[in-house]
Amino acid sequence: MLSYKKLVKHPKRLHNLTGLTIVEFKQVLNKFQTSWNTYIAELSKNPKRKRKIGGGRHPVLDSLEDKLLFILIYVRIHPLLFLQGTIFAIEEGNTSIWIHRLLPILDQSLGVTHKRPTRKQKGKNLKELLRDFPELKELKLLGHEIKRPLKKS
């Protein structure tokens, strides 16, 4: 699983995957935290809410740094959802939920609107991702190709 703690040890890889240096990442993180706190405050006002904020299972994207890293990588490289989930060890359905939750927060914190890829603009498949971002293979996040037995004639 990719995490900010792992990636911060490799500043060049962080830059290649997010487009930000460590200093820039921390600046965006400060703005992102403000927007995140606003989001959490709005959630806690919901009268239909059954649990307190922080109740229930703990998410894989536990730290705010990991949440920001997750959405920045999505915005930068637009992988297919299952690949984004594989990079962060999240199921495809939860990947979609996190993207829909975090993208508006990122937009609010940066003051821009990111467009999601349309169905015509498919996300990048594994081959395209590894071609454009070899750092993913170096980080050993995506596993190895499956070797299939040859057909016997």
Side-chain angles (χ1 to χ4, degrees):
M1 180 188 127
L2 184 61
S3 70
Y4 178 74
K5 285 183 180 180
K6 288 180 185 177
L7 205 53
V8 76
K9 296 174 187 174
H10 307 280
K12 187 175 180 184
R13 291 180 184 161
L14 176 72
H15 183 267
N16 288 344
L17 292 173
T18 65
L20 301 174
T21 64
I22 293 174
V23 173
E24 293 168 336
F25 187 91
K26 289 181 180 178
Q27 290 171 346
V28 172
L29 181 63
N30 289 334
K31 294 177 183 179
F32 190 75
Q33 179 153 17
T34 303
S35 298
W36 177 258
N37 291 341
T38 304
Y39 169 75
I40 293 298
E42 289 297 318
L43 271 183
S44 63
K45 291 178 186 176
N46 186 351
K48 295 179 183 177
R49 189 166 184 84
K50 295 182 180 181
R51 293 189 182 118
K52 291 181 181 179
I53 299 294
R57 293 185 302 171
H58 294 284
V60 174
L61 298 174
D62 202 21
S63 73
L64 199 59
E65 291 88 351
D66 288 342
K67 290 174 177 73
L68 179 58
L69 179 65
F70 174 87
I71 199 63
L72 286 174
I73 287 177
Y74 175 76
V75 167
R76 172 123 167 124
I77 64 178
H78 291 292
L80 295 171
L81 290 181
F82 88 92
L83 288 176
Q84 178 83 2
T86 302
I87 293 168
F88 286 92
I90 302 173
E91 291 181 20
E92 186 176 344
N94 289 335
T95 301
S96 178
I97 291 168
W98 277 111
I99 289 169
H100 288 282
R101 181 179 298 156
L102 295 175
L103 197 56
I105 296 169
L106 180 67
D107 290 348
Q108 180 185 3
S109 60
L110 297 179
V112 297
T113 303
H114 291 92
K115 293 184 179 177
R116 291 171 182 86
T118 61
R119 289 187 187 265
K120 292 178 185 175
Q121 297 174 288
K122 292 181 183 175
K124 294 183 179 181
N125 63 29
L126 181 59
K127 195 180 278 188
E128 293 167 334
L129 272 182
L130 292 176
R131 180 194 67 219
D132 296 343
F133 299 94
E135 301 81 27
L136 293 173
K137 193 163 191 161
E138 292 170 16
L139 292 170
K140 297 179 183 173
L141 299 172
L142 299 174
H144 304 287
E145 290 183 25
I146 299 171
K147 292 187 179 181
R148 303 189 191 282
L150 297 173
K151 290 183 181 178
K152 293 181 181 179
S153 311

